[in-house]
């Protein structure tokens, strides 16, 4: 079932879900809990994966499993009373707008913005940024193929002791030891991002012959268990540099957009919009 295209903001998301429904949805077999302001707002084994767009799912939870005393009713968002807007109350604070579906495919389900809660749990494991897609996987394989990174004529990194990260439907990412980098061309960045598959990333900028490339390199100090083989290794955005594998340059098709999943759903929606509101852009998820 494929119903909705990319969503750009809260109001547009709401109206699209009312009029067309989600891109797809299915039951989630995992226990899902939401922790906010020292309170578990919900605890359910009947959550759904809901794809609001084609790229990754969001958790929707049954209203019956949300603490009734936490629900602060606000208003209906359409004349047919399909969706009510509420807020959820913690110990001393309230969340942003929350959607409660009373009709349609999502009847009885509640949508809470992922970033509104302090922590989401699947079973007893915290999850980052959004739920993992149950139809995607990561494989990380050691490779002796030589990876060379250049900015113009300057080689900024080169290694034959690499880990190649393969993620379903995404381009390969090439991780190399920190000893492979010419560090005189780098400066630390204050940027950090979260990825549900890999964890918290830290970044470096590149500055080569006066050309500054912000956040060109990322690495995971403490990755998730499934991405443990790349702990402490660095990876280049080869959209921002020239990257060669055994002398063959990795090309970035001109028609392909870059969508950084790790920068959050709000950024995803904004990047969808910038890529073109007419039709579905070709988008590459990064991270």
């Amino acid at each position: 079932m494929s119903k909705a295209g990319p969503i750009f903001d809260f109001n547009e998301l709401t109206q699209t879900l009312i009029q067309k429904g989600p891109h797809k949805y299915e039951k989630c077999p995992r226990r899902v809990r939401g922790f906010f302001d020292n309170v578990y707002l919900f605890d359910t084994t009947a959550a759904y994966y809901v794809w609001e767009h084609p790229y990754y799912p969001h958790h929707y939870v049954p209203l019956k499993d949300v603490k009734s005393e936490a629900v602060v009713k606000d208003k209906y968002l359409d004349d047919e009373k399909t969706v009510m807007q509420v807020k959820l109350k913690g110990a001393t604070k309230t969340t942003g707008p929350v959607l409660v579906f009373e009709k349609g495919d999502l009847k009885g389900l509640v949508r809470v913005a992922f970033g509104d809660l302090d922590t989401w749990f699947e079973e007893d494991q915290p999850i980052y940024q959004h739920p993992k897609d149950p139809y995607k996987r990561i494989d990380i394989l050691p490779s002796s193929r030589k990876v060379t990174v250049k900015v113009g004529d300057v080689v900024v990194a080169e290694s034959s002791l690499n880990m190649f990260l393969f993620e379903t439907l995404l381009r390969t990412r090439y991780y190399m030891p920190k000893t492979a980098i010419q560090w005189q061309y780098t400066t630390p960045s204050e940027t950090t991002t979260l990825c549900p598959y890999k964890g918290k990333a830290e970044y470096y900028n590149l500055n080569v012959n006066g050309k500054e490339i912000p956040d060109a390199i990322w690495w995971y100090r403490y990755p998730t268990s499934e991405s443990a083989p790349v702990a402490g290794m660095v990876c280049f955005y080869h959209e921002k540099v020239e990257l060669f594998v055994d002398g063959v340059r990795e090309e970035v098709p001109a028609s392909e957009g870059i969508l950084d999943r790790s920068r959050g759903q709000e950024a995803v929606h904004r990047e969808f919009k910038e890529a073109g509101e007419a039709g579905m852009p070709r988008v590459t998820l990064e991270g």
Side-chain angles (χ1 to χ4, degrees), residues 72-127:
V72 181
K73 294 184 177 180
D74 187 357
K75 59 185 178 182
Y76 284 101
L77 298 179
D78 65 317
D79 294 337
E80 288 72 31
K81 297 185 177 180
T82 305
V83 178
M84 174 176 280
Q85 179 174 297
V86 305
K87 293 186 177 181
L88 300 181
K89 183 172 60 176
T92 60
K93 300 183 292 186
T94 57
T95 66
V98 170
L99 301 180
V100 178
F101 292 84
E102 298 189 358
K103 296 179 181 178
D105 292 339
L106 303 175
K107 180 180 178 180
L109 297 180
V110 176
R111 180 199 189 271
V112 184
F114 199 91
D116 274 7
L117 302 188
D118 297 330
T119 312
W120 290 71
F121 291 90
E122 289 182 345
E123 300 299 336
D124 294 325
Q125 179 70 41
I127 60 174

Side-chain angles (χ1 to χ4, degrees), residues 161-181:
L161 296 171
N162 309 301
M163 301 297 289
F164 286 9
L165 189 149
F166 303 93
E167 187 171 350
T168 307
L169 298 179
L170 306 187
R171 69 170 54 123
T172 306
R173 290 300 181 185
Y174 306 100
Y175 286 78
M176 57 179 63
K178 283 192 169 183
T179 52
I181 293 183

Side-chain angles (χ1 to χ4, degrees), residues 16 36 46 59 74-75 80 82 96 103 111 125 130-131 133 147 161 175 191-192 206 208 229 233 257 266 270 287:
T16 299
F36 173 73
H59 277 319
D74 187 357
K75 59 185 178 182
E80 288 72 31
T82 305
K103 296 179 181 178
R111 180 199 189 271
Q125 179 70 41
H130 62 78
D133 190 318
V147 176
L161 296 171
Y175 286 78
T191 300
T192 59
L206 280 175
V208 181
M233 304 186 79
E266 198 172 299
R270 183 175 62 252

Side-chain angles (χ1 to χ4, degrees), residues 138-142 163-166 175 226-230:
I138 284 177
D139 287 309
I140 301 174
L141 304 177
M163 301 297 289
F164 286 9
L165 189 149
F166 303 93
Y175 286 78
E226 66 190 301
S227 296
V230 300

